[in-house]
Amino acid sequence: MSVFLSEEQRAIFEMAQGFGAEKIAPFARAWEQAGEIPKSLWPEVAALGLGGIYVSEEHGGSGLSRLDGVLVFEALAMACPSVAAFLSIHNMCGGMIDHFGDAQAKARWLPSVCTMETIFSYCLTEPGSGSDAAALKTRAVRGDDGFALTGSKAFISGGGYSDAYIVMCRMGDAISAVIVEDGTAGLSFGGLEDKMGWRSQPTRAVQMDGCVVPHANLLGEEGRGFAYAMAGLDGGRLNIAACALGGAQAALDATLAYMGERQAFGQTIDRFQALQFRLADMEVKLQTARVFLRHAAALLDAKSAEATKFCAMAKLYVTDVCFDVANGCLQMHGGYGYLADYGIEKIVRDLRVHQILEGTNEIMRVIIARQMLAAR
């Protein structure tokens, strides 16, 4: 399946890259220090059609493909992987509502999702259920006034910052998905997590203590939440890989510039063949990662039976390769790479978590192997 880009797709990439360079990159370090992305950014993002990337045009979205999406997130992550990844979470939620919500849910939520007046977060992981997501314990009990939720979600990007949360919870013996609005009685948040990377994204536990939400806030069918979550993660894994790719590309671009200026032993260090070999290896890694990622996205768009396997493979391969490249770029900066002023250490810190979230890379191997064995 071809992964060559159309003129329209090139325009999408260049639009997102230009926006990131102007509106995100100059402020990324300050936002990291502040521990929060200013909400004034999101209307500008939405004005480009990036608030509802996977939402149909009928409901105010852009109706883009998964391949289009990875282009957007790669381009934005060249400015800041943390900001790009946060936007990808919001878009994953919007896509889930568009794909699985009923007409009432779509009319209720999607217009404000697309304008980013309502920022969404995704709540699956719990303190006792990370890789084993099906073991989650947050429970919803049906009552006359709605569903009463009790439980706690961990490591939630946008916890206490977002306007609404898609929460995976247990109803009876099955898992369902419900939407919980900020300000709902019984909803509270843990303290701000002090993280290695993604520091511009506020991350907190999301806690529910008898938190009652209307019956209409059930997303899709009762008992189908786990299937929705897994389907959402296929696209989420592509987006996280794309964010890793954009960050690593930015690190390599900065390294090329640095090596053309830095002198040692009477010449710029880009003249040393040993370092040229390292640059060549990095370029090969990023280009192969890019082709693999775009191929996996094309398979997901085509609804291929192999899409889940390829999404897992892309997430595993791309995030591992891109962290290695970014870390190698830090090494090639020498001591300067360890300083915040050069921007490389931030990329390394941001990209490390990409090997963990949306399913750890160990779990990606489990998914890949199971699909291989099932196909025998």
Side-chain angles (χ1 to χ4, degrees):
M1 184 173 294
S2 174
V3 292
F4 293 106
L5 302 184
S6 67
E7 287 301 314
E8 182 179 356
Q9 287 169 327
R10 290 185 185 279
I12 289 170
F13 184 91
E14 291 169 3
M15 175 269 291
Q17 185 180 26
F19 179 84
E22 179 184 358
K23 300 291 187 177
I24 298 174
F27 314 106
R29 188 175 164 197
W31 295 346
E32 176 175 76
Q33 291 170 342
E36 188 168 291
I37 305 163
K39 288 193 173 180
S40 59
L41 175 70
W42 302 127
E44 297 185 72
V45 170
L48 298 178
L50 303 183
I53 292 174
Y54 309 117
V55 175
S56 60
E57 294 181 77
E58 175 188 355
H59 294 103
S62 298
L64 298 182
S65 68
R66 289 293 174 178
L67 178 53
D68 297 332
V70 299
L71 300 177
V72 168
F73 293 115
E74 178 187 349
L76 290 176
M78 294 174 72
C80 178
S82 175
V83 173
F86 187 80
L87 181 64
S88 80
I89 296 167
H90 170 83
N91 273 280
M92 180 173 71
C93 293
M96 290 176 70
I97 297 169
D98 190 60
H99 283 90
F100 305 121
D102 59 20
Q104 181 183 2
K106 292 178 182 180
R108 166 71 177 85
W109 297 107
L110 291 180
S112 62
V113 163
C114 296
T115 61
M116 297 197 73
E117 294 173 76
T118 302
I119 298 169
F120 263 85
S121 285
Y122 178 76
C123 299
L124 175 63
T125 300
E126 296 184 359
S129 63
S131 295
D132 186 10
L136 65 85
K137 295 181 179 179
T138 296
R139 183 163 293 278
V141 178
R142 181 185 289 272
D144 293 339
D145 298 329
F147 299 104
L149 277 70
T150 300
S152 181
K153 299 293 183 178
F155 312 128
I156 304 304
S157 291
Y161 172 89
S162 293
D163 304 298
Y165 304 85
I166 294 182
V167 177
M168 299 298 160
C169 55
R170 196 168 294 283
M171 292 184 182
D173 295 329
I175 294 170
S176 297
V178 298
I179 296 172
V180 181
E181 293 182 80
D182 187 38
T184 301
L187 177 67
S188 63
F189 306 97
L192 186 66
E193 303 289 1
D194 190 6
K195 309 186 299 293
M196 174 181 176
W198 276 23
R199 295 181 68 87
S200 63
Q201 292 187 31
T203 301
R204 293 180 174 87
V206 175
Q207 301 157 341
M208 292 149 287
D209 183 9
C211 185
V212 178
V213 300
H215 293 129
N217 284 25
L218 175 68
L219 180 60
E221 299 176 32
E222 185 173 333
R224 294 282 296 157
F226 192 72
Y228 299 162
M230 294 303 101
L233 286 176
D234 278 345
R237 286 165 182 158
L238 295 178
N239 293 344
I240 286 302
C243 291
L245 181 58
Q249 186 65 61
L252 182 55
D253 291 344
T255 300
L256 283 167
Y258 172 79
M259 292 176 66
E261 299 169 357
R262 173 71 166 150
Q263 294 211 356
F265 305 102
Q267 59 183 335
T268 55
I269 63 173
D270 60 1
R271 298 298 92 195
F272 293 103
Q273 192 176 64
L275 298 185
Q276 292 175 358
F277 284 179
R278 294 190 68 179
L279 287 174
D281 287 343
M282 291 178 181
E283 175 72 359
V284 170
K285 287 179 179 179
L286 292 191
Q287 293 294 353
T288 55
R290 183 170 287 113
V291 171
F292 195 5
L293 174 61
R294 294 177 181 178
H295 178 62
L299 289 175
L300 187 58
D301 282 329
K303 296 180 173 57
S304 166
E306 290 196 301
T308 292
K309 182 179 80 171
F310 271 81
C311 289
M313 289 195 294
K315 195 270 182 182
L316 164 66
Y317 180 74
V318 176
T319 59
D320 277 352
V321 161
C322 290
F323 178 77
D324 288 344
V325 167
N327 197 41
C329 288
L330 189 153
Q331 185 71 19
M332 292 176 75
H333 274 74
Y336 291 107
Y338 206 66
L339 303 181
D341 287 348
Y342 284 76
I344 303 299
E345 60 86 30
K346 177 185 179 301
I347 294 174
V348 172
R349 288 188 289 102
D350 280 346
L351 295 199
R352 182 60 183 87
V353 76
H354 293 225
Q355 296 168 291
I356 297 172
L357 49 75
E358 304 286 1
T360 67
N361 284 2
E362 289 74 19
I363 292 297
M364 295 305 100
R365 290 177 169 87
V366 172
I367 293 170
I368 295 160
R370 284 177 177 172
Q371 297 234 348
M372 292 170 65
L373 294 172
R376 286 184 300 183

